[in-house]
Amino acid sequence: MTRTRRFLTMLATAALLLTALATPTQAISSLKAAAAPAKHCVIVVGKAPPGQPSPIRSSACSADYATAQREAGATATVLLMEWFWNANNSPPNLTHIHGDYGDCDSAGYRIIVKDDWANNISGFNSYSHCNVVTGFNWPSTVDWSGDEQTWSNYSVCSCLLQGWVGSFMNDRIEAFWIRRG
């Protein structure tokens, strides 16, 4: 009888131990899945008043671009930019900037880079006739001063594909002025 009791006690202890070990692992896995960063964010901006930043109309993040675009209400807007966390978007982590005013003109859009993206952009692409882009390290909303660099492309694509911003502005961009040149 003592052997049977000991065996049952050991069996119950093992079952409790397995349950205790499995529960935290499952909880941690669930937390990791819930805390996994979104791969695609969409920000919709409006036309900037003279010398001021473009107002942010909406934003959303999701695991895929189509869902983020839909949730941000960006389906009737134009894609202006894609920001890359790493040069040449490797590994992929994108924010897509959409304009609700249409393609770039000579006044363009003035976009303040916020949250985790500030001082973390290593590359970008611009579209919709936004072929001149100036990145600023310290934008003043009055005169948009500070360290800056301008990239341009006057080819037929009406875009600018800047996989890496270069060593001077890498991880230093806090604002963009995008426009048609």
Side-chain angles (χ1 to χ4, degrees):
M1 195 164 260
T2 309
R3 267 188 175 165
T4 305
R5 194 175 261 167
R6 232 184 286 157
F7 176 74
L8 290 175
T9 303
M10 285 179 13
L11 189 60
T13 303
L16 285 173
L17 183 60
L18 286 173
T19 302
L21 289 174
T23 302
T25 303
Q26 290 170 347
I28 290 170
S29 296
S30 297
L31 285 174
K32 283 182 180 177
K39 294 286 185 183
H40 298 274
C41 293
V42 173
I43 300 171
V44 178
V45 296
K47 190 68 171 168
Q52 296 297 312
S54 294
I56 296 175
R57 304 285 193 215
S58 64
S59 64
C61 295
S62 181
D64 65 277
Y65 175 55
T67 302
Q69 184 181 19
R70 187 177 60 256
E71 290 177 358
T75 54
T77 62
V78 297
L79 176 62
L80 300 173
M81 292 188 88
E82 297 171 324
W83 297 343
F84 306 150
W85 191 270
N86 295 308
N88 299 310
N89 195 29
S90 178
N93 189 3
L94 289 170
T95 285
H96 309 267
I97 308 301
H98 285 250
D100 69 357
Y101 184 77
D103 291 351
C104 278
D105 56 18
S106 61
Y109 293 84
R110 294 174 182 259
I111 303 160
I112 302 293
V113 178
K114 296 183 180 243
D115 303 324
D116 291 341
W117 282 99
N119 295 311
N120 280 311
I121 294 174
S122 293
F124 65 86
N125 290 334
S126 64
Y127 306 100
S128 302
H129 301 285
C130 303
N131 62 340
V132 178
V133 176
T134 302
F136 296 89
N137 178 252
W138 182 253
S140 164
T141 56
V142 176
D143 63 4
W144 289 71
S145 62
D147 286 347
E148 65 181 72
Q149 184 171 346
T150 299
W151 303 270
S152 60
N153 177 19
Y154 296 102
S155 71
V156 295
C157 97
S158 298
C159 62
L160 177 59
L161 307 177
Q162 194 66 41
W164 187 52
V165 296
S167 59
F168 180 63
M169 291 303 282
N170 187 49
D171 293 340
R172 296 185 66 220
I173 296 174
E174 295 180 13
F176 283 109
W177 176 25
I178 60 174
R179 60 209 178 272
R180 184 179 210 157

